[in-house]
C-alpha cells in the first residue's frame, strides 16, 4: 500500500475547535485511539536478514475450533523480503485505554496481547510532487511480537504513547490529529519495554510546545497499479486545496522519515 500525505501542526488550545470543524465536514465525531508504540531496530547495516524465524507468530484471537496451528499471515513473507534488502526500524502498536491500562498493579507481557506490526519505507523521491509518498505494511492482530523480534535479532529501541483523533472522508481519505508522550526508560540491561505504564495524568508530551500533528492522507491500496496511485495523488492535492483554508501544511524532508536510521524524535 502507498500512503500519500501532507503534515502540519496546531496548538493544544485549538484542538477542540479543529475536531468540531472536522466533525461537521466528515459527519462524524472522530475515532479516538491511544496506542502504546514499541520500536525495534533491525540487524545493523550492511547485513539485513529479513524475518526468517516465524515459528512463534500467532493470530489473536486464535481461529475458533481450529486444532491446527494457523500459518502466519501472507504479509509476513512480503515484509521479510523488504527487510532482507535493507535494515529498518519497525513499530509494534498496541491499543491501550487511559482508564484501564495505566497505573495498574499487574505487569503486562506484550507477547500475550494482540498488536499490529507496522513498517514504513523510506519515502519516494519528490519527482515534482509536494506531498510525501511512501509504502507501508501493517499486520494486525498478532501475538508474540516481541518474541518474534528477538528471534530475528531485532533489538528494542524505545517506546512511547501515541494519541490520535482520526476522521475519514470519502472512504480513502483520512484526517488525523496526533500527539506523542514520553515513557520512562527501564534501568536494566538489555533494555526492554516497561512492565507497567505510569499514570496517564503523569505523561509528558514529547513536544515542549504541546502541539498536535495534523496529517491528511490518501491511499493507493494496490501499490503496483499506476492508475490507483495517480488517483490517490489527485485526491490528496484536491483535499489539500480545501484544507489549506483550515491548516498550514509544511514541507517534510524525506530524510526525516528515513526508517532505516534513528534520528532523535522521529515518530515514523
Amino acid at each position: 500500500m502507498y500512503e500519500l500525505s501532507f503534515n502540519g501542526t496546531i496548538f493544544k488550545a485549538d484542538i477542540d475547535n479543529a475536531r468540531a470543524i472536522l466533525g461537521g465536514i466528515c459527519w462524524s465525531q472522530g475515532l479516538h485511539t491511544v496506542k502504546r508504540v514499541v520500536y525495534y531496530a533491525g540487524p545493523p547495516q550492511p547485513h539485513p536478514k529479513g524475518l526468517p524465524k516465524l515459528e512463534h507468530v500467532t493470530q489473536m484471537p486464535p481461529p475458533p475450533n481450529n486444532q491446527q496451528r494457523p500459518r502466519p499471515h501472507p504479509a509476513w513473507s512480503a515484509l521479510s523480503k523488504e527487510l532482507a534488502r535493507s535494515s529498518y526500524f519497525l513499530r509494534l502498536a498496541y491499543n491501550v485505554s487511559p482508564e484501564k491500562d495505566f497505573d495498574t498493579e499487574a505487569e503486562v507481557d506484550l507477547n500475550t496481547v494482540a498488536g499490529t506490526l507496522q513498517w514504513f519505507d523510506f519515502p519516494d523521491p519528490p519527482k515534482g510532487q509536494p506531498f510525501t509518498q511512501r509504502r507501508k505494511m501493517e499486520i494486525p492482530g498478532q501475538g508474540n511480537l516481541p518474541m518474534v523480534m528477538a528471534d530475528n535479532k531485532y533489538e528494542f529501541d524505545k517506546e512511547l504513547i501515541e494519541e490520535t483523533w482520526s476522521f475519514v472522508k470519502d472512504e480513502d481519505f483520512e484526517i488525523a490529529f496526533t500527539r506523542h508522550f514520553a515513557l520512562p526508560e527501564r534501568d536494566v540491561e538489555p533494555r526492554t519495554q516497561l512492565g507497567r505504564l505510569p499514570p496517564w495524568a503523569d505523561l509528558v508530551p514529547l513536544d515542549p510546545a504541546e502541539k498536535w500533528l495534523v496529517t491528511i492522507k490518501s491511499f493507493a491500496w494496490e501499490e503496483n497499479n499506476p492508475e490507483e496511485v495517480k488517483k490517490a495523488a489527485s485526491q490528496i492535492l484536491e483535499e489539500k486545496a480545501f484544507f489549506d483554508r483550515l491548516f498550514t501544511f509544511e514541507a517534510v524532508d524525506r530524510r526525516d522519515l528515513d526508517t532505516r536510521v534513528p534520528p532523535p524524535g522521529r515518530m515514523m
Side-chain angles (χ1 to χ4, degrees), residues 11-61:
F11 287 100
K12 177 182 177 181
D14 298 325
I15 187 64
D16 289 341
N17 286 338
R19 284 174 45 209
I21 293 171
L22 264 295
I25 293 172
C26 301
W27 293 83
S28 166
Q29 293 183 350
L31 176 64
H32 181 234
T33 58
V34 178
K35 296 182 184 295
R36 179 178 183 176
V37 181
V38 187
Y39 291 84
Y40 275 81
Q45 303 280 26
H47 303 293
K49 298 179 180 179
L51 296 168
K53 297 182 179 181
L54 300 177
E55 57 267 25
H56 288 123
V57 170
T58 61
Q59 183 71 30
M60 298 185 71

Side-chain angles (χ1 to χ4, degrees), residues 87-101:
S87 192
Y88 289 84
F89 281 73
L90 301 179
R91 287 175 32 131
L92 314 184
Y94 298 87
N95 287 321
V96 290
S97 166
E99 294 78 21
K100 299 178 181 179
D101 296 312

Side-chain angles (χ1 to χ4, degrees), residues 40-234:
Y40 275 81
Q45 303 280 26
H47 303 293
K49 298 179 180 179
L51 296 168
K53 297 182 179 181
L54 300 177
E55 57 267 25
H56 288 123
V57 170
T58 61
Q59 183 71 30
M60 298 185 71
N65 303 321
N66 189 347
Q67 301 298 322
Q68 184 177 3
R69 179 183 176 87
R71 299 182 64 182
H73 192 286
W76 280 99
S77 177
L79 178 57
S80 183
K81 291 180 182 179
E82 296 296 336
L83 300 180
R85 297 188 181 101
S86 183
S87 192
Y88 289 84
F89 281 73
L90 301 179
R91 287 175 32 131
L92 314 184
Y94 298 87
N95 287 321
V96 290
S97 166
E99 294 78 21
K100 299 178 181 179
D101 296 312
F102 291 80
D103 196 23
T104 60
E105 294 183 2
E107 290 203 359
V108 176
D109 180 359
L110 293 181
N111 286 302
T112 66
V113 294
T116 298
L117 178 65
Q118 300 175 324
W119 168 74
F120 295 84
D121 199 359
F122 185 45
D124 291 349
K127 296 181 180 178
Q129 79 267 24
F131 48 79
T132 298
Q133 175 176 309
R134 58 180 178 173
R135 296 171 60 218
K136 65 182 290 189
M137 290 187 191
E138 293 189 333
I139 312 177
Q142 304 297 296
N144 288 339
L145 284 176
M147 187 182 300
V148 174
M149 294 294 99
D151 288 344
N152 290 281
K153 309 301 182 185
Y154 277 66
E155 296 185 355
F156 171 81
D157 179 60
K158 64 182 177 184
E159 63 177 329
L160 50 82
I161 299 298
E162 181 177 271
E163 182 182 14
T164 302
W165 282 95
S166 58
F167 299 80
V168 175
K169 182 174 180 283
D170 300 330
E171 296 185 359
D172 290 335
F173 182 79
E174 178 183 341
I175 312 101
F177 305 116
T178 306
R179 63 175 175 173
H180 297 92
F181 298 93
L183 285 175
E185 296 185 1
R186 297 182 66 179
D187 189 18
V188 296
E189 290 293 341
R191 295 187 306 117
T192 186
Q193 59 267 14
L194 295 171
R196 300 184 184 90
L197 295 176
W200 173 257
D202 292 349
L203 295 181
V204 177
L206 282 179
D207 180 9
E210 298 193 41
K211 292 181 180 180
W212 288 67
L213 178 69
V214 182
T215 308
I216 58 173
K217 308 174 186 177
S218 65
F219 304 95
W221 302 101
E222 297 180 21
E223 59 189 53
N224 294 321
N225 184 336
E227 289 303 314
E228 187 161 344
V229 176
K230 183 178 179 180
K231 178 182 176 182
S234 177

Side-chain angles (χ1 to χ4, degrees), residues 228-256:
E228 187 161 344
V229 176
K230 183 178 179 180
K231 178 182 176 182
S234 177
Q235 182 184 36
I236 192 74
L237 291 173
E238 180 181 338
E239 295 289 358
K240 188 211 180 245
F242 173 82
F243 283 102
D244 274 339
R245 294 177 289 176
L246 302 175
F247 309 111
T248 300
F249 297 100
E250 304 165 357
V252 176
D253 190 328
R254 62 195 287 261
R255 292 172 295 184
D256 292 338

